[in-house]
Amino acid sequence: MTQDPYEILGVSRDASADEIKKAYRKLARQLHPDVNPDPETQERFKDVSRAYEVLSDPGKRAAYDRGGDAFSQGFGGAGQGFSFTDIMDAFFGGGAAGGQGRGPRSRARRGQDALIRLDVELAEAAFGVTRDLKVDTALRCEACEGEGTAPGTSPVTCETCHGQGEVAVVQRSFLGEIRTLRPCAACRGFGSIIPDPCRECSGDGRVRSRRTLTVKIPAGVDHGTRVQLTGQGEVGPGGGPAGDLYVEIHVEPHPTFTRNGNDLHTTVSLPMTAAALGTQLTLPLLEADLPQSADTADGEKPATTYDLDVRAGTQSGSEQVIRGFGVPSLRGGRGDLVVSIVVDTPTRLDPRQEELLRELAAIRGEETPTGQAEAPHKSMFGRLRDAFQG
Ligand SMILES: [Zn+2]
Ligand SMILES: [Zn+2]
């Protein structure tokens, strides 16, 4: 591990103060514990912060350039030797002091996730759809490139904590005096103060803005499904990385189809005569009347109807299952279409129709039905009860 602060920051020995600052900010954004908490990265972040502390201070930089040891003096305690945090770090490894001693905290933090609701039709949820969404989130301020400083200005080192972001607090205890580090109130722990904040974003480094986002909703989403769009949420303060955007799907009810998992249900009514004699129905299918989802891979239009054979003697309330005509699953495959059949009993018979029906009843011996009791249809509950009583 190099001890050369120039190497640590990746700058040349004649780098300007501005170049050093830029290099540090770039590294700090990648390595800051708020962004990347793994221990190895935190160690590198400390090294980078220490290197920056030397090179950002003209006196310390000059002393190092004259051949001094960059890390022999002044770290963690402004020239007063070991701080409490250093001792804790030495004994327990970094981070043992409960988040203390991390140096100045970065202004850049990850932004929050955002959630928006999208109303779609059943067919759009089933077959997928591409939509343009108006999204209202924080975006990086272009005027200051997320830095929060007015053009041509820079943050200045906090005088209270000398850029440490922390101040030492001495407490008396039975062990003697214990030095602990607290975040600096003057700079809120940043180690620097923005004297002239960017007017566009008031120094936050981000502005609220409305934009249009083209979102592809995959086939098979259901009511309540959240589609994750990585990095499309709120941009973080100080030019920090954006959170994710979640699009929560709300499916509007369809007039004739309902959905149960990946199965679709629909009900068709049938004249009594057709139910008795059998027939073929042209059943309209759920279809997406949107051009982008109406085309299949080979360019053929998917079928919009299904020829359903209704066998003679079909009962009212019976169901017919059409395999593979339900909703495509997000994990592949497709559910079924379940068709419930309702038999229409004719009303308002004219004399001729009534005559024919009476004749039919006579032939079938159905003139005086007895209203014979039938064994109840065994429901799930009934079978369960039988199982317990048996
Ligand atoms: Zn700005
Ligand atoms: Zn401070």
Side-chain angles (χ1 to χ4, degrees):
M1 182 73 225
T2 176
Q3 290 289 297
D4 179 358
Y6 291 101
E7 253 182 73
I8 291 171
L9 287 182
V11 295
S12 66
R13 299 189 76 85
D14 55 1
S16 69
D18 207 41
E19 283 167 350
I20 288 167
K21 191 172 65 191
K22 280 216 170 93
Y24 169 66
R25 280 203 200 143
K26 195 172 161 225
L27 286 167
R29 247 183 234 165
Q30 296 163 4
L31 302 173
H32 196 274
D34 292 347
V35 176
N36 200 339
D38 85 271
E40 208 177 301
T41 309
Q42 284 192 45
E43 276 314 304
R44 269 200 71 201
F45 177 66
K46 276 188 196 171
D47 290 339
V48 163
S49 297
R50 289 174 184 194
Y52 177 64
E53 206 209 320
V54 173
L55 297 187
S56 63
D57 182 314
K60 287 180 186 170
R61 185 178 177 185
Y64 176 74
D65 289 343
R66 284 193 303 270
D69 182 348
F71 299 109
S72 67
Q73 52 173 348
F75 290 118
Q80 296 167 20
F82 279 114
S83 71
F84 181 71
T85 306
D86 287 332
I87 295 165
M88 293 300 277
D89 276 1
F91 277 105
F92 302 111
Q100 291 180 334
R102 300 203 303 200
R105 69 188 178 102
S106 170
R107 288 182 193 275
R109 270 176 290 137
R110 184 186 185 269
Q112 292 193 318
D113 294 338
L115 176 69
I116 60 169
R117 189 183 132 157
L118 176 64
D119 291 313
V120 298
E121 290 175 12
L122 181 60
E124 293 174 324
F127 303 118
V129 65
T130 302
R131 279 281 191 89
D132 285 339
L133 297 186
K134 293 258 187 290
V135 185
D136 199 347
T137 59
L139 291 181
R140 198 171 79 129
C141 174
E142 293 306 324
C144 62
E145 296 182 318
E147 301 285 343
T149 49
T153 71
S154 309
V156 294
T157 303
C158 173
E159 286 175 9
T160 307
C161 63
H162 306 286
Q164 297 288 314
E166 299 163 316
V167 285
V169 179
V170 179
Q171 290 173 314
R172 288 180 193 284
S173 81
F174 65 94
L175 291 169
E177 287 190 348
I178 294 179
R179 273 183 84 237
T180 55
L181 293 172
R182 297 267 169 82
C184 172
C187 62
R188 292 188 293 142
F190 294 129
S192 63
I193 285 166
I194 294 178
D196 195 2
C198 169
R199 275 169 203 92
E200 296 295 321
C201 62
S202 309
D204 193 33
R206 51 185 187 162
V207 286
R208 289 213 79 79
S209 174
R210 178 171 267 242
R211 68 203 145 110
T212 303
L213 206 62
T214 303
V215 178
K216 200 174 183 320
I217 303 298
V221 295
D222 205 346
H223 194 76
T225 303
R226 285 183 176 184
V227 178
Q228 183 181 10
L229 302 171
T230 307
Q232 297 287 1
E234 308 275 352
V235 161
D244 299 334
L245 175 68
Y246 290 88
V247 180
E248 189 175 271
I249 304 295
H250 283 241
V251 182
E252 291 159 4
H254 189 277
T256 56
F257 288 94
T258 55
R259 179 173 173 177
N260 182 11
N262 291 322
D263 290 342
L264 284 173
H265 287 250
T266 191
T267 301
V268 295
S269 68
L270 212 56
M272 181 187 74
T273 47
L277 297 169
T279 187
Q280 196 181 57
L281 288 180
T282 302
L283 187 72
L285 295 171
L286 178 70
E287 59 177 310
D289 43 16
L290 291 138
Q292 63 264 45
S293 44
D295 292 323
T296 53
D298 50 11
E300 264 179 63
K301 296 270 180 205
T304 56
T305 58
Y306 182 87
D307 293 331
L308 179 68
D309 285 318
V310 179
R311 65 183 188 285
T314 291
Q315 301 293 319
S316 192
S318 65
E319 285 180 347
Q320 255 173 272
V321 176
I322 308 172
R323 300 262 171 238
F325 277 76
V327 175
S329 165
L330 283 169
R331 291 179 218 90
R334 210 171 151 177
D336 302 327
L337 172 58
V338 181
V339 183
S340 295
I341 295 186
V342 171
V343 175
D344 263 347
T345 304
T347 53
R348 287 198 304 259
L349 299 170
D350 67 24
R352 168 74 178 139
Q353 290 166 355
E354 188 179 341
E355 187 191 330
L356 281 172
L357 277 179
R358 287 202 184 282
E359 194 182 330
L360 178 64
I363 294 167
R364 290 179 59 82
E366 294 171 348
E367 289 152 300
T368 51
T370 56
Q372 191 188 343
E374 273 190 46
H377 182 73
K378 285 221 171 139
S379 63
M380 191 57 159
F381 177 72
R383 285 199 296 274
L384 217 60
R385 193 183 48 206
D386 287 352
F388 277 105
Q389 286 175 345

